[in-house]
Structures are given as structure tokens and as C-alpha cells.
């Protein structure tokens, strides 16, 4: 468990290709009743849009965490160190519909302004939802992506979220 300091967005120096694509992230949100769910993700990005620092994430419709994201105005993106790779794999492979996977993972939830995140993280992005759009099959310019990644036609929903705060472990 770490203590965190806030990092100014302009000072954030991490490599998003490595953070998301190689290290993975936990996408976490809470419902109005306070229940929390999370999932491991390795697809997404960071950038600048609408004069705001943003992240984008993609969630398949069958993922239980999608219900939590859709119900909440905010979510967190938590990046944990290599020591937690087994926990990340577990949280990505088990559904919160079937068990309390967060409790089983041994990770600890904390709240930042009502948004849940994991205290074991090295970096946390606290985000507010701005935009959501479902992927459409007719929009794939490279048809091989649809054929390879969506044989079940379970197209992702893309969320663009404003990065409101970055917390970095001390």
C-alpha cells in the first residue's frame, strides 16, 4: 500500500504505450449503492481532446464492469507494478458477477472524491466520463480488424474520459 501525491497533468512523464499495452490497467467504477467492480484492460490511450487531458478505454458489452461504468459519472484507471501481475490476470479473467473478485485478489479499495481506486497502484488516473460510443461494424476501414477481433460481433463501447487528477505513489 502506497501513499500518494498528486502529479500535475503537465508534469506527467509516463509512457502510455507501456503503461496500457504492456503493464495493463484496472478500470474501476462504483454504482450508486457503493458497490465497486473492476476489470483488467490493455487497450486504450491517453491524449488531448476538447482542450482537456483525456483517456479513452474500450469495454465489451458482456463485461460486468460496464454496468458500473455506465451508472457512474467517474472511474479510475489504476496502474500496478510487476509484483501484481498475477492479481491483474485474475481480475481480468474472473467476473464480479460470480464472486467478490476484489476481496479474493487481496487488493485494497480507497476513494478519491468518491471514485474507487487501488491503494497498491503506482499511478492512478481519476477520470470523469465525457463521451461514449459503440463501435459499429461499418466503421472499420481495415476489415481484417473486425474479422479478427470481433468474430462474436461483441463490439466494444468506447469511453472518452477527462483525466481530472493523477495520483503517483511516493
Amino acid at each position: 500500500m502506497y501513499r500518494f501525491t498528486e502529479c500535475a497533468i503537465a508534469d506527467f512523464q509516463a509512457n502510455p504505450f507501456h503503461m496500457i499495452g504492456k503493464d495493463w490497467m484496472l478500470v474501476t467504477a462504483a454504482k450508486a449503492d457503493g458497490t465497486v467492480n473492476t476489470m483488467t484492460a490493455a487497450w486504450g490511450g491517453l491524449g488531448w481532446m476538447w482542450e482537456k487531458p483525456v483517456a479513452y478505454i474500450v469495454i465489451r458489452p458482456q463485461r460486468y464492469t460496464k454496468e458500473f461504468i455506465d451508472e457512474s459519472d467517474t472511474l479510475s484507471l489504476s496502474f500496478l507494478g510487476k509484483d501484481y501481475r498475477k492479481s491483474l490476470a485474475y481480475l481480468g479473467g474472473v467476473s464480479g458477477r460470480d464472486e467478490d473478485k476484489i476481496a479474493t485478489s487481496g487488493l485494497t479499495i480507497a476513494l478519491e472524491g468518491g471514485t474507487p481506486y487501488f491503494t497498491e497502484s503506482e499511478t492512478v488516473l481519476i477520470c470523469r466520463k465525457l463521451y461514449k460510443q459503440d463501435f459499429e461494424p461499418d466503421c472499420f476501414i481495415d476489415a481484417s480488424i473486425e474479422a479478427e477481433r470481433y468474430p462474436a460481433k461483441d463490439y466494444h463501447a468506447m469511453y472518452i474520459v477527462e483525466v481530472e487528477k493523477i495520483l503517483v505513489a511516493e
Side-chain angles (χ1 to χ4, degrees):
M1 226 177 317
Y2 299 110
R3 292 176 41 109
F4 293 91
T5 57
E6 187 171 350
C7 174
I9 290 168
D11 295 335
F12 189 61
Q13 297 291 318
N15 178 339
F17 298 102
H18 193 271
M19 289 175 65
I20 297 168
K22 300 291 184 203
D23 290 343
W24 306 340
M25 63 185 161
L26 290 173
V27 180
T28 310
K31 288 187 174 182
D33 67 4
T35 58
V36 174
N37 201 51
T38 193
M39 63 174 272
T40 303
W43 290 3
L46 299 174
W48 189 255
M49 182 170 263
W50 304 312
E51 300 303 322
K52 299 176 184 297
V54 299
Y56 73 88
I57 57 170
V58 292
I59 310 291
R60 289 197 193 261
Q62 65 267 38
R63 295 302 298 253
Y64 185 48
T65 304
K66 187 176 182 305
E67 293 177 25
F68 291 74
I69 293 168
D70 287 341
E71 189 172 315
S72 181
D73 291 333
T74 65
L75 57 89
S76 69
L77 305 177
S78 296
F79 300 89
L80 287 75
K82 291 183 187 343
D83 292 346
Y84 294 98
R85 190 65 167 199
K86 188 173 180 179
S87 295
L88 289 166
Y90 170 76
L91 290 167
V94 174
S95 176
R97 282 187 188 100
D98 301 329
E99 65 180 75
D100 185 351
K101 68 181 189 175
I102 294 173
T104 304
S105 77
L107 299 180
T108 309
I109 292 284
L111 298 174
E112 177 64 37
T115 304
Y117 71 95
F118 291 95
T119 61
E120 294 83 1
S121 303
E122 292 180 350
T123 304
V124 178
L125 308 182
I126 303 295
C127 304
R128 184 177 58 85
K129 292 187 313 188
L130 299 174
Y131 181 83
K132 174 193 169 201
Q133 183 170 356
D134 294 332
F135 284 8
E136 296 289 337
D138 293 344
C139 293
F140 285 95
I141 296 167
D142 181 344
S144 70
I145 294 171
E146 186 206 5
E148 180 181 336
R149 300 294 180 175
Y150 298 98
K153 308 298 184 200
D154 57 342
Y155 302 101
H156 285 94
M158 178 182 63
Y159 298 82
I160 299 174
V161 296
E162 179 178 5
V163 178
E164 293 188 319
K165 187 178 283 191
I166 299 174
L167 304 175
V168 178
E170 294 179 344

